[in-house]
Amino acid sequence: MIQPHDSVIVRTFGHIVIPVAQLFGVYVLMFGQYGPGGGFVGGVVIAGSMIMAILIFGIESEDSVLARKILHGDGVGLLIFGGVGGLCLIGGGEFLNYSHLSIPGLDETSRHQVGILLTQVGVAVDVAVTGVSIAISLSFEEDEISQDEVTD
Amino acid sequence: MTIEIPLLILLIMTAAGAILVKDLISAVFILGSYSFALALVWALLGAVDVAFVEAVVGAGLATVFFLLTLFRTTEKDRVICRPPVPWSAIIGLPLLGLLLLYGAGDLPVFGDPTSPASTVISPLYLENSIRQTGTPNVVTAVLMDYRSFDTFIETIVIFTAGIACALIMRKGDK
């Protein structure tokens, strides 16, 4: 596993930059309908901030608790995306045809807006979880396995 | 127009440097600067969304993944015993390049208003997206609404990549 960094400069820098990066990721995700960005980029920025927390403070520390918790959500983003498509099916339309998203009190354009926003959130969650998961997989060292084999 | 030529020269130089340098950590960082120059090229061409993705993924996330991979292996590029290049490759690859150049001659010029893409499908999206989807950013409207099935499949691909990495490399984890 990754050891925490012991430099004061790096730790202070991380405490300042990581919340800003997470806020910027959420901003990019939510602003994707009006400017450059969207679900994929927002998810990558959020994943990058959490990977930075893991690399600076270590996987076991309190600062990377979000990265540990998010690992259990593998597949949730895909479920959100597919769930929006399923809601469109229930509403009587084709898969991912947001005109049939059965939300009362919304006209057709607003249904498309809600559908785009929800699917973007799904993509962002999926990309963020996958990024953190791949980073932890790559940094996983096989010390524990080799020690087990030695004791056996 | 004047900034494009130095940018393209920088692009070729960083791409060649990432291959030629022996220290692999230097190669990873040169590759990151290559992605950053490529993002500037995309931004010059007006594709701001693609530039954003290139800067974040190519220069940010991919660099971290390459570095984490390097820490598990070795940092120096050791020369492996390479077999000699076969004659079929020496003759065949230039011919393939000539064939590709001949085919590229029939492609429409960049920004051509009479090309099929900008006469049929682009005006359809540009005129209808704000009325049908209420989304000012046409790229998001195309990705998430008109072509949302493609995005769904791409999300499945990313999910599969994460699952496969965890299955292969986290063997000792419960």
Side-chain angles (χ1 to χ4, degrees):
Chain A
M1 281 297 161
I2 302 170
Q3 300 301 319
H5 209 284
D6 53 355
S7 163
V8 179
I9 299 174
V10 172
R11 295 179 72 93
T12 313
F13 183 74
H15 272 298
I16 296 171
V17 164
I18 288 167
V20 176
Q22 281 174 352
L23 203 62
F24 183 67
V26 175
Y27 162 76
V28 166
L29 163 64
M30 293 298 170
F31 205 67
Q33 287 174 311
Y34 300 97
F40 188 76
V41 185
V44 171
V45 173
I46 295 172
S49 72
M50 282 187 281
I51 290 171
M52 201 152 50
I54 294 174
L55 289 181
I56 292 175
F57 303 113
I59 183 69
E60 301 291 338
S61 81
E62 288 182 6
D63 294 286
S64 53
V65 62
L66 193 61
R68 279 205 308 277
K69 285 236 170 95
I70 205 176
L71 276 183
H72 300 291
D74 216 347
V76 170
L78 199 59
L79 209 62
I80 294 173
F81 206 142
V84 173
L87 281 180
C88 301
L89 277 180
I90 291 172
E94 299 89 355
F95 189 66
L96 288 172
N97 185 357
Y98 305 139
S99 302
H100 298 88
L101 204 59
S102 51
I103 300 172
L106 288 181
D107 58 340
E108 195 172 324
T109 310
S110 305
R111 284 179 183 179
H112 276 275
Q113 273 183 319
V114 171
I116 290 176
L117 187 62
L118 284 178
T119 48
Q120 272 187 335
V121 170
V123 172
V125 170
D126 190 74
V127 171
V129 172
T130 306
V132 176
S133 168
I134 289 180
I136 289 182
S137 301
L138 282 177
S139 64
F140 189 79
E141 292 172 2
E142 295 166 3
D143 295 340
E144 304 159 22
I145 310 172
S146 56
Q147 282 172 4
D148 288 346
E149 285 171 355
V150 167
T151 50
D152 286 343
Chain B
M1 183 59 83
T2 53
I3 199 172
E4 289 177 3
I5 304 294
L7 210 53
L8 288 176
I9 291 174
L10 183 70
L11 208 61
I12 294 175
M13 279 175 59
T14 46
I19 298 173
L20 291 178
V21 74
K22 284 292 175 191
D23 187 17
L24 287 180
I25 288 186
S26 310
V28 167
F29 281 108
I30 292 173
L31 206 60
S33 65
Y34 166 81
S35 284
F36 193 71
L38 192 58
L40 288 179
V41 171
W42 291 127
L44 269 182
L45 291 177
V48 190
D49 284 86
V50 185
F52 207 168
V53 173
E54 182 70 41
V56 169
V57 176
L61 203 62
T63 308
V64 176
F65 284 167
F66 277 133
L67 282 180
L68 286 175
T69 313
L70 273 186
F71 289 153
R72 292 191 58 167
T73 55
T74 171
E75 297 170 7
K76 291 288 178 189
D77 187 14
R78 273 181 297 178
V79 178
I80 315 167
C81 179
R82 288 183 182 144
V85 185
W87 278 102
S88 57
I90 294 178
I91 300 171
L93 285 179
L95 283 178
L96 186 67
L98 282 179
L99 195 66
L100 285 178
L101 279 179
Y102 173 71
D106 281 343
L107 288 177
V109 186
F110 176 72
D112 187 11
T114 60
S115 68
S118 44
T119 50
V120 183
I121 197 72
S122 291
L124 199 72
Y125 289 147
L126 289 175
E127 289 163 8
N128 294 330
S129 77
I130 186 75
R131 184 170 50 80
Q132 286 178 344
T133 67
T135 303
N137 187 359
V138 186
V139 178
T140 303
V142 171
L143 276 182
M144 288 293 167
D145 200 332
Y146 295 104
R147 291 278 176 268
S148 57
F149 217 95
D150 293 353
T151 315
F152 185 59
I153 306 293
E154 282 172 22
T155 315
I156 294 177
V157 168
I158 295 169
F159 171 71
T160 314
I163 289 292
C165 273
L167 279 179
I168 291 173
M169 281 180 282
R170 269 192 265 167
K171 280 179 184 165
D173 216 359
K174 45 191 167 16

